[in-house]
Amino acid sequence: MSNPSAEDEVVQLCSDLIRIDTSNPGDHSGPGERVAAEYVAEKLAEVGLDPKIYESHAKRSSVVVRIEGTDPQRDALLIHGHLDVVPARKEDWTRDPFGGEVADGCVWGRGAVDMKDMDAMVLAVIRDRLRQGRRPERDVVLAFLADEEAGGKWGAHWLVDNHPELFEGCTEAIGEVGGFSLTLPNDERLYLIEAAEKGLAWMRLIAEGTAGHGSMVHPDNAVTALAAAVARLGAHEFPVRLTKTVNAFLEEVCDATGIEFDPDDIEKTVRDLGPLSRMIGATLRNTLNPTVLDAGYKTNVIPQGATAHVDGRFLPGHEEEFFATVDELLGEHVRREFVHHDIAVETEFDGPLVAAMAAALKAHDPQARPVPYCLSGGTDAKSFATLGIQCFGFAPLKLPKDMDFSGMFHGIDERVPVDGLRFGVRVLDHFLDHA
């Protein structure tokens, strides 16, 4: 019996991975990634590789393997993906979020786009190439990681801190949230390649006061102090700061659509882009969003303390401005501490690797127009950037014109088109021939 092609195998691999529940609540209470890591390791071992599973905490497992290239003089390429997913409630979904069902031309389930699709595409391409004896020219390090959905402490960060030798010689990397298509009204397709991402500041705000009876006068009420600080943070709008990646993206999009690029009124330019504006609006400025409030236990009891959580994101090059503003808004009665803090990253959108990504996309979609963009969220690229690795988001998918792709991330009824997976396999295979 002949082996299946990568295009045939990728759908099954994606379904299998979705059926392995790797929900990550962020506190080790989930199932962990161990079962998925063993599945991935087995698939890699079947084609002659020697993958290793690294466990940072019980069931928090990552898989890493190096594929030896034909030219040992070249620097290595890192291809990384994460195995964990955000939780999902079955009752909210049209189909079982952990069923991996193939229906209506899509593979359905939690992780279908974030990011078991890319995991499956990489597995399918590597398995197919090695069965045919087609090794890449440069060494390729594959990393299937734990804990990305909670900031990577037990996945990429842990590996970088404890096993940096695994990434020896890696100078460039590709990972998630890039290489996907966005169809313009004139039917031209942009393919957004991530070249930057905002920094991360998940903060806990703490106010302390004097506990007492709710009927008394309390000038140092912790709830009042905290509520005022949260309101100030939530209402604050940072000024527009046009980074080089966002500037390049806007110039490309305006050129493609015929919209005037007005550097003196960036927000108007973005509004004129229509549906695109929601995707890129958050990359124009730093942001602060209060997400959790916690205080008190009885109506007539003034609590001694109150806490809140705030999701902060800062643009590359603007971290200092961000925290100076936060501290000013907090005032003297509220302090902050980090739940999670990570860097912003930005890289140049040029060079041979970018050319290889662009060529691979155009080879399989002549209408492709590759453009750089900044991700408002974060990925494991933050960890690998600390090793000096130049990181891009490149998980190629050709998507239907009307698909709300960004809404699929962490959304209900997450799904990925089967044709998109097969397209991604072809593009990645081409890319590895020229990377």
Side-chain angles (χ1 to χ4, degrees):
M1 182 177 177
S2 61
N3 290 313
S5 69
E7 287 188 54
D8 290 336
E9 192 173 38
V10 66
V11 177
Q12 186 63 55
L13 290 168
C14 188
S15 293
D16 288 351
L17 286 167
I18 289 170
R19 283 195 289 268
I20 303 172
D21 184 355
T22 53
S23 298
N24 183 4
D27 58 2
H28 298 311
S29 64
E33 299 87 359
R34 180 76 196 193
V35 175
E38 290 174 348
Y39 173 90
V40 168
E42 179 184 352
K43 294 298 181 183
L44 294 170
E46 285 177 358
V47 290
L49 296 174
D50 186 23
K52 296 289 190 296
I53 294 177
Y54 296 86
E55 198 157 271
S56 57
H57 191 278
K59 299 182 182 179
R60 309 310 307 276
S61 308
S62 299
V63 183
V64 183
V65 67
R66 182 179 290 257
I67 303 169
E68 187 176 335
T70 58
D71 183 356
Q73 302 304 313
R74 290 197 61 190
D75 294 327
L77 171 70
L78 170 64
I79 302 178
H80 61 93
H82 62 85
L83 295 172
D84 64 321
V85 298
V86 295
R89 298 196 314 168
K90 185 175 182 178
E91 59 267 29
D92 295 336
W93 286 54
T94 303
R95 303 180 188 276
D96 183 353
F98 299 103
E101 186 177 350
V102 181
D104 300 328
C106 293
V107 183
W108 295 64
R110 178 59 85 218
V113 299
D114 187 16
M115 62 170 298
K116 290 179 175 178
D117 58 338
M118 177 62 165
D119 295 334
M121 289 191 291
V122 172
L123 281 175
V125 169
I126 293 301
R127 281 166 59 83
D128 189 56
R129 291 177 69 94
L130 292 186
R131 281 193 296 252
Q132 297 176 33
R134 293 192 298 129
R135 290 187 174 271
E137 185 175 299
R138 62 199 297 191
D139 280 11
V140 172
V141 176
L142 305 180
F144 298 84
L145 302 158
D147 201 43
E148 190 275 345
E149 296 293 1
K153 178 180 179 181
W154 303 102
H157 272 302
W158 185 86
L159 285 172
V160 165
D161 291 341
N162 293 277
H163 295 284
E165 72 282 356
L166 295 172
F167 311 106
E168 183 72 30
C170 290
T171 57
E172 297 167 314
I174 61 168
E176 64 174 325
V177 205
F180 57 92
S181 69
L182 183 67
T183 305
L184 300 175
N186 61 1
D187 289 330
E188 185 171 10
R189 277 184 292 277
L190 303 181
Y191 282 83
L192 280 62
I193 297 173
E194 188 208 306
E197 56 187 52
K198 295 176 81 172
L200 181 64
W202 292 343
M203 296 172 285
R204 182 182 295 108
L205 310 184
I206 302 164
E208 295 172 339
T210 302
H213 199 286
S215 66
M216 303 296 180
V217 176
H218 282 269
D220 62 343
N221 187 315
V223 176
T224 302
L226 181 76
V230 168
R232 289 193 295 271
L233 265 64
H236 182 74
E237 184 172 85
F238 285 89
V240 170
R241 298 285 188 249
L242 195 59
T243 63
K244 63 182 179 184
T245 300
V246 175
N247 186 80
F249 173 79
L250 288 173
E251 286 182 341
E252 288 277 2
V253 174
C254 288
D255 180 67
T257 58
I259 292 172
E260 181 184 359
F261 178 56
D262 184 355
D264 296 322
D265 193 352
I266 298 300
E267 291 181 289
K268 179 183 183 303
T269 300
V270 171
R271 286 194 301 272
D272 289 346
L273 296 176
L276 277 176
S277 61
R278 183 167 63 93
M279 177 180 291
I280 64 169
T283 64
L284 295 179
R285 51 169 51 93
N286 298 330
T287 57
L288 285 165
N289 283 302
T291 53
V292 177
L293 289 169
D294 186 18
Y297 55 90
K298 196 172 187 293
T299 304
N300 64 344
V301 177
I302 304 292
Q304 185 174 354
T307 63
H309 286 208
V310 176
D311 185 335
R313 311 281 173 145
F314 50 89
L315 291 165
H318 296 281
E319 181 173 359
E320 185 176 342
E321 174 193 32
F322 173 82
F323 284 115
T325 302
V326 168
D327 290 339
E328 182 180 347
L329 292 170
L330 286 179
E332 59 180 329
H333 301 297
V334 179
R335 59 186 171 88
R336 63 174 170 87
E337 61 185 28
F338 287 124
V339 176
H340 188 71
H341 175 216
D342 216 333
I343 60 173
V345 295
E346 188 166 34
T347 189
E348 298 294 334
F349 192 69
D350 58 20
L353 195 76
V354 170
M357 288 187 278
L361 288 167
K362 291 177 179 178
H364 297 281
D365 182 1
Q367 289 182 270
R369 182 169 181 159
V371 299
Y373 88 108
C374 176
L375 178 68
S376 61
T379 75
D380 284 327
K382 296 183 186 301
S383 298
F384 297 120
T386 65
L387 295 176
I389 299 173
Q390 186 182 20
C391 297
F392 297 94
F394 188 64
L397 290 172
K398 183 180 178 183
L399 300 169
K401 182 177 183 177
D402 59 351
M403 185 175 187
D404 180 14
F405 185 61
S406 62
M408 293 290 169
F409 285 78
H410 300 187
I412 294 170
D413 287 343
E414 183 181 349
R415 58 197 181 275
V416 64
V418 168
D419 287 345
L421 287 172
R422 290 174 173 157
F423 172 83
V425 162
R426 295 193 297 271
V427 171
L428 284 174
D429 188 56
H430 188 287
F431 167 73
L432 283 174
D433 279 338
H434 300 89

